[in-house]
mmCIF file of all heavy atoms in Angstrom:
data_model
loop_
_atom_site.group_PDB
_atom_site.id
_atom_site.type_symbol
_atom_site.label_atom_id
_atom_site.label_comp_id
_atom_site.label_asym_id
_atom_site.label_seq_id
_atom_site.Cartn_x
_atom_site.Cartn_y
_atom_site.Cartn_z
ATOM 1 N N ASN B 4 5.777 11.175 8.390
ATOM 2 C CA ASN B 4 6.086 11.684 7.141
ATOM 3 C C ASN B 4 7.222 10.809 6.487
ATOM 4 O O ASN B 4 8.277 10.726 7.127
ATOM 5 C CB ASN B 4 6.422 13.114 7.160
ATOM 6 C CG ASN B 4 6.743 13.710 5.806
ATOM 7 O OD1 ASN B 4 5.988 13.521 4.837
ATOM 8 N ND2 ASN B 4 7.898 14.407 5.677
ATOM 9 N N GLU B 6 9.782 10.272 3.263
ATOM 10 C CA GLU B 6 10.288 10.918 2.014
ATOM 11 C C GLU B 6 11.081 9.893 1.311
ATOM 12 O O GLU B 6 11.798 9.042 1.971
ATOM 13 C CB GLU B 6 11.133 12.100 2.335
ATOM 14 C CG GLU B 6 10.288 13.271 2.933
ATOM 15 C CD GLU B 6 11.131 14.559 2.978
ATOM 16 O OE1 GLU B 6 12.324 14.505 2.659
ATOM 17 O OE2 GLU B 6 10.557 15.607 3.375
ATOM 18 N N GLN B 7 11.016 9.759 -0.022
ATOM 19 C CA GLN B 7 11.622 8.715 -0.760
ATOM 20 C C GLN B 7 12.299 9.353 -1.949
ATOM 21 O O GLN B 7 11.831 10.321 -2.645
ATOM 22 C CB GLN B 7 10.482 7.783 -1.283
ATOM 23 C CG GLN B 7 11.045 6.633 -2.090
ATOM 24 C CD GLN B 7 9.892 5.623 -2.384
ATOM 25 O OE1 GLN B 7 8.834 5.645 -1.763
ATOM 26 N NE2 GLN B 7 10.187 4.652 -3.292
ATOM 27 N N ALA B 20 20.524 -1.250 -7.978
ATOM 28 C CA ALA B 20 19.612 -0.165 -7.819
ATOM 29 C C ALA B 20 19.487 0.099 -6.304
ATOM 30 O O ALA B 20 19.278 -0.762 -5.509
ATOM 31 C CB ALA B 20 18.232 -0.341 -8.464
ATOM 32 N N LYS B 23 16.222 5.211 -1.444
ATOM 33 C CA LYS B 23 16.430 5.697 -0.055
ATOM 34 C C LYS B 23 15.152 6.306 0.477
ATOM 35 O O LYS B 23 14.471 7.095 -0.251
ATOM 36 C CB LYS B 23 17.617 6.588 0.065
ATOM 37 C CG LYS B 23 18.905 5.920 -0.314
ATOM 38 C CD LYS B 23 20.092 6.882 -0.220
ATOM 39 C CE LYS B 23 21.391 6.196 -0.591
ATOM 40 N NZ LYS B 23 22.583 7.081 -0.341
ATOM 41 N N TRP B 36 8.517 -2.674 2.247
ATOM 42 C CA TRP B 36 8.766 -2.225 0.826
ATOM 43 C C TRP B 36 7.849 -2.904 -0.068
ATOM 44 O O TRP B 36 7.645 -4.135 0.053
ATOM 45 C CB TRP B 36 10.198 -2.437 0.353
ATOM 46 C CG TRP B 36 11.182 -1.532 1.087
ATOM 47 C CD1 TRP B 36 11.803 -1.732 2.255
ATOM 48 C CD2 TRP B 36 11.725 -0.330 0.507
ATOM 49 N NE1 TRP B 36 12.697 -0.687 2.466
ATOM 50 C CE2 TRP B 36 12.637 0.228 1.381
ATOM 51 C CE3 TRP B 36 11.518 0.410 -0.706
ATOM 52 C CZ2 TRP B 36 13.261 1.427 1.223
ATOM 53 C CZ3 TRP B 36 12.118 1.573 -0.923
ATOM 54 C CH2 TRP B 36 13.050 2.121 0.030
ATOM 55 N N GLN B 46 2.641 -5.043 -3.945
ATOM 56 C CA GLN B 46 3.035 -6.388 -3.477
ATOM 57 C C GLN B 46 4.203 -6.263 -2.495
ATOM 58 O O GLN B 46 5.240 -5.699 -2.874
ATOM 59 C CB GLN B 46 3.457 -7.214 -4.713
ATOM 60 C CG GLN B 46 3.965 -8.664 -4.352
ATOM 61 C CD GLN B 46 4.547 -9.393 -5.516
ATOM 62 O OE1 GLN B 46 4.781 -8.789 -6.647
ATOM 63 N NE2 GLN B 46 4.863 -10.641 -5.346
ATOM 64 N N ILE B 51 11.407 -4.896 7.225
ATOM 65 C CA ILE B 51 12.350 -4.897 8.310
ATOM 66 C C ILE B 51 11.786 -4.227 9.555
ATOM 67 O O ILE B 51 10.965 -3.333 9.429
ATOM 68 C CB ILE B 51 13.704 -4.235 7.822
ATOM 69 C CG1 ILE B 51 14.819 -4.461 8.854
ATOM 70 C CG2 ILE B 51 13.473 -2.703 7.609
ATOM 71 C CD1 ILE B 51 16.122 -4.058 8.382
ATOM 72 N N ASN B 54 14.329 -3.703 15.389
ATOM 73 C CA ASN B 54 15.377 -4.404 16.116
ATOM 74 C C ASN B 54 16.394 -5.095 15.218
ATOM 75 O O ASN B 54 17.279 -5.759 15.698
ATOM 76 C CB ASN B 54 14.723 -5.532 16.996
ATOM 77 C CG ASN B 54 13.858 -6.502 16.269
ATOM 78 O OD1 ASN B 54 13.649 -6.300 15.023
ATOM 79 N ND2 ASN B 54 13.564 -7.595 16.882
ATOM 80 N N LYS B 72 17.081 7.713 11.196
ATOM 81 C CA LYS B 72 15.775 7.589 10.657
ATOM 82 C C LYS B 72 15.746 7.418 9.149
ATOM 83 O O LYS B 72 14.964 8.139 8.431
ATOM 84 C CB LYS B 72 14.836 8.753 11.077
ATOM 85 C CG LYS B 72 14.565 8.864 12.614
ATOM 86 C CD LYS B 72 13.350 9.714 12.802
ATOM 87 C CE LYS B 72 13.145 10.108 14.335
ATOM 88 N NZ LYS B 72 14.045 11.184 14.704
ATOM 89 N N SER B 94 5.531 2.330 9.745
ATOM 90 C CA SER B 94 4.417 2.092 10.586
ATOM 91 C C SER B 94 4.798 1.894 12.034
ATOM 92 O O SER B 94 5.904 1.387 12.197
ATOM 93 C CB SER B 94 3.560 0.918 10.038
ATOM 94 O OG SER B 94 2.675 0.424 11.010
ATOM 95 N N LYS B 100 -1.715 2.389 11.128
ATOM 96 C CA LYS B 100 -1.685 2.719 9.690
ATOM 97 C C LYS B 100 -0.267 2.787 9.206
ATOM 98 O O LYS B 100 0.680 3.159 9.901
ATOM 99 C CB LYS B 100 -2.481 4.020 9.474
ATOM 100 C CG LYS B 100 -1.757 5.274 9.989
ATOM 101 C CD LYS B 100 -2.628 6.451 9.619
ATOM 102 C CE LYS B 100 -1.943 7.823 10.031
ATOM 103 N NZ LYS B 100 -2.764 8.991 9.609
ATOM 104 N N LYS B 108 10.027 5.158 -9.555
ATOM 105 C CA LYS B 108 9.754 4.361 -10.782
ATOM 106 C C LYS B 108 11.187 3.808 -11.271
ATOM 107 O O LYS B 108 12.057 4.622 -11.704
ATOM 108 C CB LYS B 108 9.122 5.214 -11.870
ATOM 109 C CG LYS B 108 8.803 4.421 -13.110
ATOM 110 C CD LYS B 108 8.113 5.326 -14.078
ATOM 111 C CE LYS B 108 7.719 4.466 -15.381
ATOM 112 N NZ LYS B 108 6.952 5.313 -16.400
ATOM 113 N N VAL B 111 14.606 -0.894 -15.729
ATOM 114 C CA VAL B 111 15.817 -1.627 -15.983
ATOM 115 C C VAL B 111 15.961 -1.801 -17.468
ATOM 116 O O VAL B 111 15.087 -2.468 -18.087
ATOM 117 C CB VAL B 111 15.760 -3.057 -15.279
ATOM 118 C CG1 VAL B 111 16.999 -3.821 -15.599
ATOM 119 C CG2 VAL B 111 15.546 -2.839 -13.783
#
Side-chain angles (χ1 to χ4, degrees):
Chain B
N4 181 48
E6 295 189 355
Q7 182 172 347
K23 297 182 179 181
W36 285 87
Q46 177 188 8
I51 191 168
N54 58 347
K72 296 199 189 77
S94 165
K100 68 178 185 180
K108 184 175 182 180
V111 180

